[in-house]
Amino acid sequence: MGAIFYPPTEDEAVRPRPRKAAVLRISGIVQGVGFRPFVHRAARKAGVAGYVRNMGGSEVEIRVEGDEGQIAEFLRFLLLEKPPPARIEELAMVEDQPTGLREFKILPSRRGARLYSMIPPDLAVCEDCMREVYDPRDRHYRYPFNSCAWCGPRFSMIEAVPYDRPNTSMRDFPLCDDCRREYEDPDNVRRFHAQGISCPRCGPRLWMEDSAGNRLEVEDPISEAARLIDEGAVVAIKGVGGYHIACLATDDGVVARLRERKRRPQKPFALMALDLDAAREHVEVDPQAEALLTSPERPIVLLPRRPGSPISDLVAPGLDTVGVMLPYTPLHHMLLRETRDRILIMTSGNEHGKPMCTDEECARRRLSGFVDYLLHHDRRIVNRVDDSVVRFTAGRVTMLRRGRGYAPAWIRLPAELERPVVAFGAELQSAGAVAFRDKVVLTQFIGDTDELENLDYLDRALRFFCGAYGIDPVEATLVADAHPGYASRRLAERWARRAGVELATVQHHHAHILSVMAEQRVPVGERVVGVAVDGLGYGLDGTLWGGEVLVAGYGGFERVGHLAPQPMPGGDLATRWPVRMLIGVLSTFMSDSEVIETLSRHGLTERLPRGEVEARVALSQARDPGAPRISSAGRILDAVSALLGVCFERTYEGEPAMKLEARARGGKLVEGVEAPVSRGGVAVVDTSRLVESVMERLGDADAGDLAYTATYLLGRALGEVAGEAAARLDAHFVAVSGGAAVNTLLVRGVEDALAERDLEVRLNSRVPAGDGGIALGQAAFALALGLREG
C-alpha cells in the first residue's frame, strides 16, 4: 500500500530510528534530462541507500532505504530540486522491507514497464554549454555538438526506449577518457550519466561538400559556410532533426534565386536570428514572444515585421509577419555569429512537396539541385523532426506545426481508455497518434500524406511509438478520418486488415472539436458547443463541410448551424484558383452575364489560367446540380481574397486567407456589409449575402477595411449561432478549432458574439488547430467506445 513519510519530531530524533524502505515509480519527462544523476545526488545528500534505473516504459524506478527522516528529506529534494527540463507527472510509492543496502547506485536500465513516461523531446542548447563553446580554455571550445543532461538532441536520435546511449545514434561515438570521467563523476551536475555527451575528440564531426559532391578541404567548416553565405551562396546544413537551407535574408537576388530553384513562389521562409537583439532589429518582440523565442523548445514564432527592416520582401510575400527562431544548437549559433547580418533564412531542406532530408545521401540527391554547398555531420538522425511553428491568435499562443521541442510529449485525457488507440490523423499538414491509459502521444509533424513518402513516414512513426509504448494493433482501437479518399484512411484500413480488427472513423470536424475537449479535459458524458472552421472535411450529408457549429460529446455530435453550402466549380481547382470559388458564390445570386461582366470589370477573368473561357466553364460547372457543394469558412475567405485582389492562386496551404488577414490588419468595420443568419431547425449563415455586400462597397471602401469586415463578420455570425446553442446547453465556453481557428479576426468575431452571453472561447494550444491536431480528437473519440473513469 502507499506510504507517506514525515520528518521526525525533536523528541523522536533522540531515539534510534528504525530503517525503512520504499520503491518509487516515476513517470513524466524523466529520461534524457539528467534525472537519474539528479536522483543519485539527492540520495547522497539525504543519506539514503538504494538505486535508480530507467525502465522500458520510459519511466524511472527508485529504491531508497534509510530512516524516516532521511527518506522524507530525499522526497523533498526529489520534488523541489529536479533538473530544469524534468517533469514529474505520476509518482507511485510503496513500502518495502529493507534489504541492508549501504550505498546508492545508478543501475543499468531494465526492460518492462508498469508506468510509462514521455520520450524526451529535443531541447535547445543551454547557456552553460554555450559558455563552454566560446571559452578558449574549455575542451569543448567551438565544438558544434556540445550538450549536457539539460539540453541537446533527444527524440531525433532515439531508436528504442529506455533512453540510454546504446539506444541512440550516439552509440556510434564511444566516450573518450575525459568524457568518461565526466560521465562517471557524481559531482558533475550536468554530465554525470548524461547519455548524449561528447567532445571534439570522440564526438560527431563536420565536413563540407560542393553541390557536385566534392569534399572541401577546409580547416573550419562553420567559418567557411558563413563566408560562403555572406558571398551569396545557398548552403544546406544538417541539423538536429533534418537539413536546413540557409542563405542571406536581406538580398533580393539571393532569395529570388532560392525561390526559383526550390519551386516555391510564395510560401514564406523561416528566419534564424543570432539572439534577441538581432531579432528585434527586424520584428516586434514583446515579453510573451521573448519567452517563446528563448524557451527550451525554441519554436519558429510568427511576429510582425518592424518597419524599415532590411529583410527582403520576398521572404514572406504578401504577409505582414515573418517566422523567426533563435539558434538551438552550438552549430547554428556559431554560424550566425560569423555572418554579416546575424540573421539568415533557415528553411526546411526538402524538395517541393517532399519530406525534409535527414541523411547525406538524400541531401546529395535532392538538395544539390538548388544549393551550392552542403554542410554535413556524421551523427545519424533517427527520427525526422521539423521545427515547430507558433503564432499569436487574439492574444493567445496557438500552434501551427508541432515538431522539435514539443513532440513527442503526451497530452492527458479526462478518463482512461479501455484499450490502446492508434489514430491516423487527416490528410494535409497532418500527424498521427497512439494512446494508452489516459495519455495521447502525437507523432511529430508528418506533412501531407497524399505524398507517398510522408504516408510511409506516418506508418513508420506509428510503428515506432507502438513499439515504444507496448501497443499491439491486434489489441488496439484503430481510428481514422471518415473521408474515404484520404490516404491516411487507406493506411488505417491496411492496418485494420492485418490486425483483424474493425476500423473506427470520426467525422473530421467532430475530431477538431474533440481535440479542444481533450486539451480542456472535458469530463466524459458532458457536451460542448464547438465552432469548426477550416478548408474542408467530409460531411455526413454528402457535401463538404468547413464552417460548422456542433453540439458535441465524445461519442457523437449534432450539427446545429453552418455556413451556406456554395458550389465549388471544378472541385480541387476551386481550391487552387480562388476566382473559381468566387464564381461559385456569385452564381447563387447573379445571372451568367452578370457574373462574367462583374469578373471582367474587376479584372478577375484574366486571373484564371485560361481567362474568360475558363471563367465560363467554371460558371457552367457551378450551375451543374451535381457540382460539389461546400460550407467552408476557408473557401469563403478565398473568394473574398480574390474579390479584393489579394490572392489569385493558392500555392501553399491557407495562402489566400493568410494574405487576407495580413491585408486586414489595422482595418475597421465597414457599414452595409452583413452576414445574416437564417434560423430554422439548423441555423445557416448566408455567405452569398456576405460576398454580395462586400461587392456593393467595392470602390468606396478601403480594401483592407473590407477584408477586416468580411473576416470578422464571418466569425461573429458563427459565434451568434454558437452562443444560442450554448445557452440552450447551459455551457460556459465554446470550443473553436480547425485550420482557420488561428485567424485573429475570425476568432475576435466569435469572441465578441459570445461575450454578450458571458461565454468564453477556448482554442487549441498544445496541438495545432488544423489537421495536425486531428489525431488527438480521434484518440479522444475512443473514450466513448469504452472507458473507465480516470
Side-chain angles (χ1 to χ4, degrees), residues 9 59 88 118-119 206 214 279 299 310 327-328 382 384 398 406 495 525 611 637 641 662 723 726-727 779:
T9 65
E59 84 272 28
I88 296 175
M118 296 182 199
I119 295 171
L206 291 170
N214 300 307
Y328 50 86
V382 179
R384 172 167 65 89
T398 52
Y406 297 97
W495 276 52
L637 294 176
S641 185

Side-chain angles (χ1 to χ4, degrees), residues 393-696:
T393 300
R396 284 168 277 192
V397 178
T398 52
M399 189 171 287
L400 301 180
R401 187 167 75 197
R402 188 174 185 268
R404 178 190 48 76
Y406 297 97
W410 65 40
I411 295 165
R412 300 188 68 175
L413 295 170
E416 288 203 2
L417 296 155
E418 187 175 80
R419 306 174 67 190
V421 174
V422 182
F424 291 81
E427 187 81 342
L428 303 178
Q429 304 295 292
S430 191
V434 300
F436 51 92
R437 300 180 185 174
D438 65 340
K439 300 165 183 67
V440 182
V441 179
L442 272 75
T443 70
Q444 67 274 41
F445 169 79
I446 298 295
D448 296 348
T449 56
D450 58 356
E451 165 58 49
L452 181 59
E453 289 183 47
N454 286 329
L455 187 67
D456 288 343
Y457 199 78
L458 172 62
D459 186 40
R460 293 198 303 275
L462 290 174
R463 292 185 186 284
F464 171 83
F465 286 110
C466 283
Y469 290 109
I471 295 173
D472 183 350
V474 173
E475 299 176 352
T477 299
L478 308 185
V479 189
D481 195 279
H483 197 306
Y486 278 0
S488 60
R489 164 78 176 266
R490 295 194 294 274
L491 175 64
E493 289 169 347
R494 290 200 298 273
W495 276 52
R497 284 194 299 271
R498 283 195 297 263
V501 299
E502 290 190 13
L503 177 66
T505 60
V506 191
Q507 199 280 328
H508 189 84
H509 302 98
H510 184 206
H512 273 312
I513 302 307
L514 291 179
S515 70
V516 180
M517 292 173 65
E519 284 197 43
Q520 297 292 322
R521 304 200 73 192
V522 173
V524 175
E526 289 192 11
R527 295 189 300 163
V528 306
V529 176
V531 176
V533 280
D534 65 0
L536 65 86
Y538 188 73
L540 300 185
D541 60 355
T543 66
L544 298 171
W545 294 1
E548 314 304 315
V549 181
L550 310 178
V551 175
Y554 287 103
F557 68 92
E558 176 189 2
R559 190 188 194 199
V560 297
H562 57 85
L563 303 183
Q566 298 287 355
M568 194 177 176
D572 287 345
L573 286 174
T575 300
R576 180 173 179 185
W577 304 101
V579 172
R580 277 181 165 266
M581 195 64 227
L582 176 62
I583 290 170
V585 179
L586 297 180
S587 73
T588 64
F589 60 88
M590 284 183 168
S591 68
D592 287 7
S593 59
E594 288 174 327
V595 171
I596 298 301
E597 190 277 328
T598 298
L599 295 174
S600 299
R601 185 170 69 252
H602 295 289
L604 297 176
T605 52
E606 62 196 53
R607 297 297 184 172
L608 291 169
R610 294 170 182 81
E612 185 176 327
V613 171
E614 183 172 347
R616 292 186 181 276
V617 170
L619 183 55
S620 175
Q621 292 171 328
R623 301 286 190 203
D624 186 339
R629 300 183 71 81
I630 188 167
S631 58
S632 162
R635 297 293 82 82
I636 290 299
L637 294 176
D638 289 356
V640 173
S641 185
L643 179 62
L644 297 179
V646 173
C647 183
F648 303 109
E649 181 183 3
R650 174 185 174 271
T651 64
Y652 60 89
E653 181 77 10
E655 178 181 359
M658 289 170 61
K659 290 183 173 178
L660 187 70
E661 183 182 13
R663 186 70 179 84
R665 202 90 62 190
K668 60 181 184 295
L669 286 174
V670 175
E671 291 185 6
V673 180
E674 58 179 344
V677 179
S678 63
R679 293 168 172 84
V682 176
V684 179
V685 179
D686 187 351
T687 49
S688 293
R689 178 55 194 158
L690 175 64
V691 171
E692 182 181 30
S693 59
V694 168
M695 284 184 56
E696 291 169 353

